[in-house]
Amino acid sequence: MPAYARTASLPPAKLSGVMSGIGRREFLTMATAGTAAAAISVTIAALDPATALGAPAMTGNATPEPASDLNLKRELRAMWIASVVNIDWPSTSGLDAATQQAEFLQWLDVAEENRLNAVFVQVRPTADAFYESPYEPWSQYLMGTQGQHPGYDPLAFMVEEAHKRNIELHAWFNPYRVSMQTDPVQLVPDHPARLHPDWVWAYGGRLYFDPGIPEAQEHIQQAILHAVENYDIDGVHFDDYFYPYPVAGQTLPDAGTYEQYGEGFDTIEDWRRGNVDRFVETMSRRIKETKPWVKFGISPFGIWRNSSTDPLGSETGGSESYDDQFADTRKWVLEGWLDYINPQIYWQIGLAVADYSALVPWWAEVAAQSGTQLYIGEALYKATSGVFTDPDELTNHLDLCREVSRDVGPIHGNVYYSAVHVPADPQGAMSKVVEDHYQYPALVPPMPHLPAAPVVTPVLAKARRVSDGVKIHLADIGTRDARATSFAVYRVAGAADAVDTNDPANLVGAFRSAGGRIQSWLDTSAAPGTDYTYAVTALDRVWNETDPSQPRVTE
């Protein structure tokens, strides 16, 4: 076994969490079995390492070849778009609606140019909203003044535009943070933190909702669930901020809350973890009750606990989310509360205190025990700052992820922080990732426990040479209730009897359904004067894929 794979396994006494996680996924799978059974032509990839790597839904005429080590057909490729203090978007507060929209479209251009298939956009940075909310005011990072309407609905716009490009949009919420400063008077008069000052305390120069107050937790959940219910988002995403990071010389001001609500907990630390656990578990359940297909994922600090503190921890020596943010991230995975875990492993390979090559296999082994998908958070900003001195650091990270996927447990993708650094391409680091690993498009990995839709194999009617490429025409022959969400296009050079849809090199792209039966798409990458054979597949909302159509040669 490679050195990086030598991580601690769960002893039998610790397997109860694993079993409960599997049980929840089995329940979700069985709950949607009626729908899935009707999807006779849909194949759902299992969460085993081979499937997660190439993630091919095995199709009728395809040869199940393993995917290339460097290029995968199925992986999440995403970037975080941060709005707090205008880190990424909008570039500054106070821009008019047209300028804000133009800037966001530029970020989608960046995603497409780097062959990314998802964006994680911060829509609730400080108990204010980038969407029409009855619970909290419009964000100050839109117009510069909290509560001021931006002239459009940003979240509705972002979802619509991302989906036009077949890019997933995960709405990123910060649960507890109320303000980046401590004066409640600077909040709008009807802000919930001013209407309920007993819900809020100051710490480290910021205001927070007290996670131990049930009414505060309920308010936060309702604010988030309103967005789930009213917007066509693909996922709910939390970052690493639960209880705030420790500040030297300061104590969290929640002793009174513990005295009031802490019955049954031996220590205030256990009670704090219990508060966060309850919040995560309840959010998981309520999201699925609202929209079963919406994914729920968290991007925690990269270290759960060090092995020097807990034998089940990683071979690291850094801060620990279990003790510092009271976030028992390992438990959330093993209990099956998350659809994906996206740890921020923001360190280089070989860093003694937090070695990337030690943390990635540790997380892979934990995630594999419950079937939770694992995405790795990547610190592209550290190439900008110069902390990553090797221009190949990030591409080496993806090389290691491929090895860990084969030897330990599946890694389903990578997410880059933050968007502004992607086009800046510090040290050529992002270009190197794209050149080495994102040479071809990729489809988002399916999640077998989410409800499948009964989409059917489309009919590829024509692949016609036009002045600027090849235009394909297809028919979605599913019933009105079984129309595809999107379509994947595969291509090989020359005339062929079949197109291998498991080979990542044959995937030309994927496009969103325009609605109705008849669809068309222009392949602008087709070389002039070259004949090709095309095949297409249909994909449902959660990326389950049908068998391929009959192939068509260009006319």
Side-chain angles (χ1 to χ4, degrees):
M1 179 180 290
Y4 60 73
R6 296 180 192 137
T7 55
S9 297
L10 281 178
K14 298 290 185 179
L15 285 174
S16 59
V18 178
M19 295 308 294
S20 61
I22 293 172
R24 175 182 179 272
R25 298 214 184 280
E26 288 175 345
F27 171 77
L28 284 170
T29 302
M30 288 187 291
T32 58
T35 302
I40 296 174
S41 67
V42 176
T43 50
I44 304 176
L47 273 180
D48 57 77
T51 299
L53 273 172
M58 293 305 177
T59 51
N61 65 353
T63 303
E65 297 286 343
S68 160
D69 284 348
L70 296 180
N71 294 286
L72 308 181
K73 173 185 163 180
R74 290 277 198 172
E75 65 176 343
L76 185 103
R77 304 169 178 174
M79 64 183 181
W80 279 288
I81 301 177
S83 62
V84 67
V85 299
N86 300 106
I87 290 174
D88 295 316
W89 178 80
S91 60
T92 187
S93 60
L95 301 175
D96 61 42
T99 304
Q100 290 183 17
Q101 292 173 345
E103 284 192 353
F104 187 77
L105 293 178
Q106 288 177 342
W107 287 124
L108 294 182
D109 290 343
V110 167
E112 287 191 313
E113 289 162 4
N114 289 273
R115 300 193 182 94
L116 308 182
N117 52 28
V119 290
F120 294 179
V121 186
Q122 194 172 31
V123 300
R124 185 182 179 271
T126 54
D128 52 13
F130 274 60
Y131 53 94
E132 189 81 59
S133 173
Y135 298 99
E136 292 173 332
W138 287 104
S139 176
Q140 70 181 86
Y141 303 116
L142 288 166
M143 303 307 296
T145 301
Q146 191 174 71
Q148 183 176 346
H149 197 294
Y152 72 114
D153 189 325
L155 183 53
F157 172 81
M158 292 187 290
V159 169
E160 180 181 3
E161 294 299 326
H163 285 174
K164 283 180 182 178
R165 305 179 191 221
N166 212 31
I167 292 173
E168 279 202 337
L169 190 138
H170 292 233
W172 166 15
F173 304 85
N174 188 286
Y176 300 133
R177 187 169 60 206
V178 172
S179 176
M180 299 295 284
Q181 50 80 42
T182 59
D183 182 8
V185 176
Q186 294 188 31
L187 305 174
V188 293
D190 60 349
H191 194 287
R194 293 187 67 178
L195 298 177
H196 303 278
D198 54 314
W199 290 0
V200 179
W201 36 250
Y203 181 82
R206 297 174 183 176
L207 288 175
Y208 295 90
F209 285 123
D210 188 333
I213 296 177
E215 293 83 2
Q217 283 213 16
E218 177 62 20
H219 163 79
I220 297 165
Q221 294 196 19
Q222 287 185 359
I224 294 168
L225 290 166
H226 175 80
V228 175
E229 183 174 356
N230 290 279
Y231 296 86
D232 193 24
I233 61 176
D234 298 291
V236 169
H237 182 79
F238 296 162
D239 56 19
D240 53 319
Y241 291 100
F242 292 94
Y243 276 84
Y245 280 79
V247 175
Q250 297 191 31
T251 302
L252 289 173
D254 60 349
T257 317
Y258 174 54
E259 184 177 350
Q260 183 176 0
Y261 295 105
E263 184 178 356
F265 291 91
D266 294 334
T267 68
I268 194 170
E269 292 81 9
D270 287 342
W271 169 74
R272 290 169 180 160
R273 276 184 289 273
N275 293 330
V276 181
D277 286 350
R278 184 173 65 257
F279 182 82
V280 170
E281 181 182 17
T282 307
M283 278 304 314
S284 175
R285 173 177 52 79
R286 295 178 78 174
I287 289 167
K288 291 297 185 285
E289 288 172 351
T290 304
K291 288 182 178 176
W293 60 88
V294 171
K295 302 169 186 177
F296 179 39
I298 293 178
S299 177
F301 183 74
I303 299 173
W304 170 69
R305 298 193 98 185
N306 303 310
S307 60
S308 58
T309 303
D310 188 318
L312 293 175
S314 52
E315 295 296 327
T316 49
S319 300
E320 302 162 301
S321 65
Y322 181 94
D323 302 282
D324 290 344
Q325 290 85 51
F326 306 99
D328 192 350
T329 55
R330 179 177 176 275
K331 177 180 180 179
W332 307 341
V333 173
L334 296 181
E335 292 289 346
W337 296 340
L338 306 178
D339 297 301
Y340 66 84
I341 189 77
N342 178 201
Q344 298 174 22
I345 307 183
Y346 283 0
W347 305 288
Q348 57 266 49
I349 294 172
L351 182 68
V353 71
D355 189 341
Y356 187 95
S357 63
L359 281 162
V360 169
W362 185 90
W363 278 106
E365 185 178 53
V366 171
Q369 292 177 67
S370 67
T372 304
Q373 288 199 353
L374 174 61
Y375 314 143
I376 304 300
E378 303 286 349
L380 181 57
Y381 74 95
K382 286 193 173 179
T384 298
S385 68
V387 173
F388 289 170
T389 57
D390 184 354
D392 289 341
E393 181 70 40
L394 288 176
T395 194
N396 291 342
H397 285 189
L398 270 67
D399 287 337
L400 188 139
C401 286
R402 306 297 190 253
E403 294 180 40
V404 172
S405 287
R406 287 195 305 268
D407 299 337
V408 182
I411 295 168
H412 298 83
N414 303 77
V415 188
Y416 300 91
Y417 187 83
S418 68
V420 70
H421 301 281
V422 176
D425 195 23
Q427 305 181 56
M430 194 67 200
S431 290
K432 187 67 172 170
V433 167
V434 174
E435 178 185 354
D436 291 348
H437 299 283
Y438 298 168
Q439 184 178 355
Y440 311 110
L443 304 179
V444 174
M447 293 182 175
H449 63 279
L450 299 185
V455 298
V456 299
T457 299
V459 173
L460 178 54
K462 186 176 292 188
R464 182 168 56 90
R465 174 68 66 177
V466 294
S467 60
D468 49 354
V470 171
K471 193 163 191 178
I472 65 167
H473 300 269
L474 61 88
D476 184 350
I477 60 173
T479 65
R480 186 178 299 275
D481 296 330
R483 297 282 167 80
T485 298
S486 60
F487 303 91
V489 182
Y490 300 86
R491 183 189 75 194
V492 294
D497 295 330
V499 178
D500 182 359
T501 58
N502 293 320
D503 186 344
N506 295 339
L507 179 62
V508 182
F511 66 97
R512 199 82 170 185
S513 172
R517 290 190 179 276
I518 306 304
Q519 308 284 330
S520 62
W521 184 74
L522 181 64
D523 177 10
T524 57
S525 68
T530 301
D531 287 333
Y532 295 100
T533 302
Y534 287 84
V536 295
T537 62
L539 298 142
D540 70 2
R541 176 63 189 263
V542 290
W543 301 88
N544 298 306
E545 186 175 32
T546 67
D547 288 343
S549 68
Q550 290 297 314
R552 290 284 181 184
V553 180
T554 49
E555 299 175 5

